[in-house]
Amino acid sequence: MSRITASIFAALVLCSGGASAQDLSGDWQGALGPAPLRLILHVEKGDGATWKATLASIDQSPDRGAAMPVDAVTLQGSTLEFSVAAVRGTYTGTIAADGNSIDGTWSQGRPLPLSLVRATPETAWKDPSPHSVRFVTVDTNVKLEVLEWAGPQVRNVRTLVLVPGLGNTAHVFDTIAPKLAAHYRVVGVTRRGFGASSAPSSGYAADRLGDDVLAVIDGLSTAKPVLVGHSLGGEELSSIGSRYPDKVAGLVYLDAGYSYAFYAPGLEPVGGPAPQQQQQLPPLVAAIYDGMQHYTEIPPPILAIYALPHAGLPDPTLDVKAEAIAKAFEAALPNARVVRIPQANHFVFMSHEADVLREMESFLATLK
């Protein structure tokens, strides 16, 4: 399971008789500390007089599209207060008379000054990765964020569709995708419920998530792409590969061939919380785990890259379980090339980018 960022798990509640006097919707930007670390507070109107918002630290996370929930907010006159439980941080600030800036203090262990300024199209901090952004309708009232990185402008170039892990967005591929785009058409899909994609109350079962990716593929007007999934993204790959093998040219699992993507009878599941922990998960994440299926036959050509042994695991027995799954994957799927990269971390495409690119290039060269 990938690192779960908290981008979609909570709403910001604005409680004040003076709330209607302030329009806080939009992006607010500020820099924290001597480094400095850039923060983006994104605020949207919710139902009635409530709001929902997230806080992103774009210099600390490799995934620009992911953010943390802002939990408790009050607005008394021109004084704004909010907290971020995920990092035990609080903020108190005074909104300027023109409503375009907030001067205040962020406290997380110690107080630091933090001024927030309303972003405009001219001043907004742009994503440096060379991609375009669009939204594709995949279900009733559900649109997914789809990124496309600039690539070779030639006909019949192979398309790669990148699917992130749980809690991440397509922006997690911002570094490796441009390198792939030198030779391929490269798009990334942000799963429903995460980042800028729609967050409906239902539709998180494995095959529904796979259908979402298929809907994006159909919207791309491309034939038989190669699907590349990290972590939980392997679930969508296995869902599509097992049900519609003729719709893809191949599948690439980036430390993603665990129990959510491949069922190995008799082996302890790897890649999710213990059953007793699932009850404590946010409803959306719990729905994803509840909707998992057992995939055993996955016919398309496969490259499965495992970070084995993982770097820095607190529990070495996890590697033993992961290796058992990798061996079962290799034995059950003769169409799969299984590669182990020692001392890589779970984000293997970041920790060992050159190795991943080399293995992908070799695999892609074998496909028709």
Side-chain angles (χ1 to χ4, degrees):
M1 183 180 65
S2 73
R3 295 177 298 188
I4 301 179
T5 58
S7 56
I8 41 67
F9 303 146
L12 175 155
V13 179
L14 201 56
C15 305
S16 168
S20 60
Q22 297 285 352
D23 181 8
L24 299 178
S25 59
D27 285 345
W28 298 78
Q29 302 175 163
L32 184 68
L37 297 176
R38 293 175 297 166
L39 304 177
I40 300 177
L41 176 70
H42 178 73
V43 184
E44 297 179 0
K45 288 185 177 180
D47 297 330
T50 65
W51 301 77
K52 58 181 181 178
T54 58
L55 183 68
S57 180
I58 62 174
D59 292 320
Q60 289 181 297
S61 172
D63 185 348
R64 187 186 176 96
M68 299 174 290
V70 176
D71 301 288
V73 172
T74 59
L75 180 64
Q76 298 290 340
S78 61
T79 300
L80 174 69
E81 298 181 343
F82 66 78
S83 64
V84 182
V87 294
R88 298 180 180 179
T90 61
Y91 180 77
T92 301
T94 302
I95 303 174
D98 63 4
N100 289 323
S101 63
I102 308 170
D103 188 31
T105 301
W106 171 261
S107 297
Q108 186 184 6
R110 63 189 178 98
L112 289 172
L114 175 61
S115 295
L116 298 170
V117 178
R118 190 188 296 273
T120 68
E122 294 74 28
T123 64
W125 291 326
K126 303 296 191 299
D127 189 335
S129 189
H131 55 57
S132 60
V133 182
R134 60 172 162 154
F135 290 84
V136 175
T137 299
V138 298
D139 199 1
T140 304
N141 298 322
V142 178
K143 294 182 178 181
L144 299 191
E145 178 189 45
V146 177
L147 310 183
E148 181 162 359
W149 285 266
Q153 302 300 308
V154 297
R155 297 181 61 186
N156 300 322
V157 64
R158 186 178 299 283
T159 298
L160 309 183
V161 178
L162 312 183
V163 184
L166 182 62
N168 286 126
T169 74
H171 295 268
V172 78
F173 299 112
D174 273 348
T175 299
I176 193 172
K179 298 177 177 67
L180 293 168
H183 305 289
Y184 309 100
R185 182 186 183 189
V186 180
V187 299
V189 181
T190 296
R191 184 180 292 106
R192 66 167 67 196
F194 293 81
S197 292
S198 300
S201 59
S202 61
Y204 296 95
D207 286 345
R208 175 63 257 182
L209 295 177
D211 289 344
D212 285 355
V213 176
L214 283 173
V216 171
I217 292 171
D218 290 342
L220 295 174
S221 300
T222 186
K224 301 194 72 168
V226 173
L227 305 186
V228 182
H230 170 242
S231 192
L232 185 84
E235 178 180 77
E236 281 97 324
L237 269 59
S238 295
S239 171
I240 295 170
S242 62
R243 295 183 297 142
Y244 304 105
D246 293 336
K247 291 193 174 185
V248 294
L251 306 172
V252 178
Y253 294 78
L254 301 177
D255 211 34
Y258 297 111
S259 302
Y260 41 74
F262 173 73
Y263 177 62
L267 293 182
E268 186 173 346
V270 175
Q276 62 271 22
Q277 295 176 317
Q278 291 192 27
Q279 298 178 358
Q280 304 172 8
L281 294 174
L284 185 153
V285 178
I288 290 177
Y289 282 112
D290 288 342
M292 288 181 176
Q293 297 189 18
H294 290 167
Y295 299 109
T296 56
E297 297 184 10
I298 313 169
I302 290 172
L303 169 64
I305 298 176
Y306 287 89
L308 282 173
H310 285 81
L313 274 185
D315 181 0
T317 64
L318 293 176
D319 264 340
V320 176
K321 298 172 185 176
E323 175 61 31
I325 293 286
K327 287 181 178 178
F329 191 104
E330 198 168 20
L333 302 174
N335 52 308
R337 168 172 163 73
V338 174
V339 175
R340 296 164 177 81
I341 301 182
Q343 299 307 312
N345 68 34
H346 184 46
F347 288 78
V348 61
F349 59 95
M350 294 182 186
S351 70
H352 287 65
E353 180 188 82
D355 294 320
V356 169
L357 289 171
R358 182 184 65 251
E359 294 295 345
M360 286 184 62
E361 286 288 350
S362 177
F363 172 71
L364 293 169
T366 67
L367 302 179
K368 295 181 180 180

